[in-house]
Amino acid sequence: MRVLLFGATGMIGQGVLRECLADRGVSEVVAVGRRPIGQQHEKLRELIVADLADLAAVEPSLTGFGACFLCLGVTAVGRSEAEYTAVTYDLTLAIASPVVRLNPGITLVYVSGQGADSSERGRSMWARVKGRTENALLALPVRACLFRPGLIIPLDGIRSRTGWYNVVYALTRPLNPLLLRFFPGSVTTTQRLGRAMIAAARDGPRRGVIEAAEINALAREGVTT
């Protein structure tokens, strides 16, 4: 399976990339982003694009893929609804639409968030925008898997680009084993998330929302090593 990956420099994207490179069933990963990842691997190819909202110039390099992992995202803290929508909804659809057109049989796997509001009418701004994005992806003529993880624990030295997130992760690290054991419906890891996304893209007819508990269950199906 050839994989397109958007958001490889973020915390989630780093975890997904790591699992893709370790999975024997993934033959190639093309990471599309604004800046280099800073690592090399025989299966990794980078495609640097100045404006991810306009992929027209690189469309010839975006064909022949079995899966597209959409790991782009920003925190809603300190952002207006318009600002958050520009990244969460507008950019995601600007990427997904041409990818689907160029790869009619592709599976989209989008990292949303636990509590996303598919009604698009709730009081929480971020949940409405996430829900709107999910609905738009489901309307595309391909299989779309919408992951709703809760707390994501970074493993393997992975760090968030949001500084205060790293402070919280460091403070809660001693509790991680307990969190994973007693809250499987709300807590996962970057490793599990990456493995589950690969499994969802490759193995099942799954379509629609995949909550945290199912993410962990999918991860246990393992990767091809």
Side-chain angles (χ1 to χ4, degrees):
M1 179 173 67
R2 298 179 69 223
V3 171
L4 268 176
L5 174 59
F6 291 84
T9 59
M11 187 186 82
I12 293 172
Q14 291 175 58
V16 174
L17 175 61
R18 186 179 187 279
E19 298 308 315
C20 285
L21 296 179
D23 189 316
R24 191 176 62 187
V26 175
S27 59
E28 182 184 30
V29 181
V30 175
V32 187
R34 299 184 183 93
R35 57 183 182 276
I37 298 172
Q39 63 175 285
Q40 294 183 335
H41 191 280
E42 60 185 5
K43 294 199 301 187
L44 175 62
R45 183 163 64 89
E46 294 190 66
L47 194 58
I48 307 301
V49 181
D51 182 5
L52 292 176
D54 183 6
L55 299 176
V58 297
E59 283 193 357
S61 299
L62 301 178
T63 61
F65 291 89
C68 176
F69 295 152
L70 298 167
C71 303
L72 292 165
V74 294
T75 177
V77 177
R79 288 182 170 85
S80 67
E81 184 163 351
E83 292 170 331
Y84 188 64
T85 298
V87 176
T88 303
Y89 179 86
D90 297 339
L91 181 57
T92 298
L93 269 294
I95 291 169
S97 297
V99 166
V100 167
R101 173 170 50 81
L102 296 166
N103 301 273
I106 202 167
T107 296
L108 297 178
V109 184
Y110 171 65
V111 180
S112 183
Q114 192 170 58
D117 177 15
S118 57
S119 77
E120 304 180 34
R121 296 191 298 270
R123 297 180 62 182
S124 172
M125 179 272 284
W126 78 266
R128 289 196 310 271
V129 176
K130 283 286 191 181
R132 180 186 173 202
T133 306
E134 291 180 352
N135 291 339
L137 292 174
L138 285 173
L140 295 175
V142 292
R143 187 163 70 98
C145 301
L146 312 171
F147 274 47
R148 289 183 177 179
L151 174 65
I152 303 170
I153 297 171
L155 300 179
D156 308 305
I158 291 171
R159 291 175 60 81
S160 172
R161 287 186 296 171
T162 304
W164 66 268
Y165 279 13
N166 293 317
V167 175
V168 173
Y169 292 136
L171 292 173
T172 59
R173 187 173 296 121
L175 300 176
N176 287 349
L178 294 176
L179 292 173
L180 289 167
R181 180 178 179 182
F182 292 108
F183 301 97
S186 301
V187 182
T188 190
T189 68
T190 50
Q191 186 180 90
R192 291 182 183 182
L193 185 58
R195 291 180 177 181
M197 290 173 71
I198 294 168
R202 182 174 55 203
D203 296 331
R206 301 175 183 86
R207 185 177 190 275
V209 172
I210 299 176
E211 300 283 359
E214 188 178 0
I215 290 171
N216 288 327
L218 280 170
R220 287 193 292 270
E221 295 181 6
V223 294
T224 305
T225 58

